[in-house]
Amino acid sequence: MTDETYSGLLLQKGLIDGEWTGAASGRTVDVHDPATQAVIGAVPDMGWAETRAAIEAASRAFGSWKRKSHAERAGLLETWHRLILENLEDLARILTLEQGKPLDESRGEIRYGASFVKWFAEEARRIGGHTIPAPTADRRILVLKEAIGVCGVITPWNFPSALVTRKVAPALAAGCTVVVKPSEFTPYSAIALCALAERAGVPAGVINVVTGMPAEIGEELMRNETVRKISFTGSTRVGSLLMRGAADNVKRLSLELGGNAPFIVFDDADLDAAVEGAIASKFRNGGQTCVCANRILVQAGVHDAFARKLAARVDAMTVGDGRQAGVAIGPMINEAAVAKINRHLDDALAKGAAILTKPRSLPAGPQYVAPVVLGGATTAMELASEETFGPVAPLFRFEKEEEAVAIANGTPFGLAAYFYTESLKRAWRVGETLEFGMVGLNTGAISMEIAPFGGVKQSGLGREGGREGVEEYLEAKTFHMAGLG
Ligand code: SIN
C-alpha cells in the first residue's frame, strides 16, 4: 500500500555525514513531472562547499567501514535490499513521477536495482586475494584486495534508481564510501534509496548525496584528491571531459557512455521472436536507454514481413502518462530530447525514409512523441551515426551477412549489439565478429545483475554487475613477506 507522502521517501534534501541538509546558499533546483511539466518540488542546489563536506564525511567514514567484516557489510546490504522491495510501490511511483516511464517499467526498474544490492551482498563474502608461489623458501607473496577509498558516483536520469544501486552496492561491498550525484532531472529516486540505506543501518558518512546542477559538484569530485575513483553513466562527451579531469590526479574511472546498438535480423531468424526482441530492446523506457536498438538491420528475404509485423506491434502501443494503466510509452525526459528525436526524423524523411506505422493522435503536452517504424533507413542519415534516444525504429535493408556486420561495426561506439539467427555456425561467426561489450543472440534483453555490463571503444571503460562489478572498487596490494625461513 502507498500513501500521499510516499511513506516519507519523497525527500527534498541532500545527505551529508548522516544529516539531511539544504544548500548553504539556500538555492534550489526545481524538479518537473515530464508528463505534465508541473513542478514536483525542489532539491538543494549544492556546489563546491557541500561537495567538499560530503567528500570529507565519506573520508572519515572510510576507515571504520572498510574494517568491517565482509559479513557485516553484506548483512547491511541484505537489509537494504529487503527495505527496497518492501517499499517497491512507493519507489516506483516516485520514479514515474520524476522520470515519466510507465509504472510497470518503474516497478521492473526497482526490482532490477534491488537485484544489484542482493548480488553484491553475496559477492561481498567472496572478495578475496590470492597467493603466488615465492622464488625462495623464506618468502611468501600475497595479493590482497583492498577498497579503493572514497568514490564519486554520478548517475543519469534514464535509470535513476537502478544505476544508483549498480554503482553504490559494489562500492559498499568492497569497503568504499561514496558521494552520489544524481541527475538534476531525477534526484528523488536516489535520495529515497539513500534514505532506505540509512534505515537499513548503513552508518553516517558511508553514503552521501549531493544534489543540484552538475558543474561545481562535478568539478569538486574530479579535482579533490581524496576522491580515488569516479563511476559515471552518461554521454560520451561528458565521459571524455571526466577522463581529462581524472588525469590531473590519476583517479580511477568507470564510464558507461553512449551506444549505437545494431539489431540484426537474418533471413533464417525466428521472425516473431525477432519482433518481440526488437520491441523489448527498442521501446524500453520509450527508447531512452544506452542499450536500445538504434539501427535495425533486416536481411532482404524477411525485410517486408518483419517490417509489417513490427509496425503492427508498434501501432498497438499506447502513449500517455506513465501512471495510467496500459501505457507503453511515457513522455520523454524533456523538450531537448523531443527536439533531437524530431531532428533525426526530419533528416531521415528528407533523405528518403518512410513512416510505416499509422498516424496517431498524442496526449496533450510537449514531451510526448509517437513511436514509429521507419522504412528505407540508410547510413547517410543522422540516426545511423547518433543515438536517437527515443521511440524511433529505423529499418536498414541488407543483402549479405558481411554487409550487415560491417554496418554494425561501423561506429565509434561499442556498447550493445543484438542479432537473430537459427544457424549455430552464423551465431558463433557473427557473435565473435561484433565489436561490442555485450552481444545478445536471439534476445533483446541483456541487462541483469549476474552479468557484466559495459562497452568498448567510445562506449566506456570498466564493467558493472557480474563478478567484474566489485573489482572496479578494489585495488590489488601485493604483500611480499621475506625472512620467514
Ligand atoms: C543505461 O541505459 O545506461 C542502462 C540500461 C540498462 O541497465 O539496461
Side-chain angles (χ1 to χ4, degrees), residues 148-165:
I148 288 181
V150 175
C151 300
V153 164
I154 307 176
T155 57
W157 52 262
N158 63 340
F159 287 82
S161 189
L163 296 195
V164 172
T165 54

Side-chain angles (χ1 to χ4, degrees), residues 112 158-159 163 166 233 256 284 288-291 447 453:
Y112 176 46
N158 63 340
F159 287 82
L163 296 195
R166 187 154 88 188
T233 295
E256 200 254 280
R284 178 172 169 233
Q288 302 172 106
T289 91
C290 299
V291 290
S447 305
F453 185 106

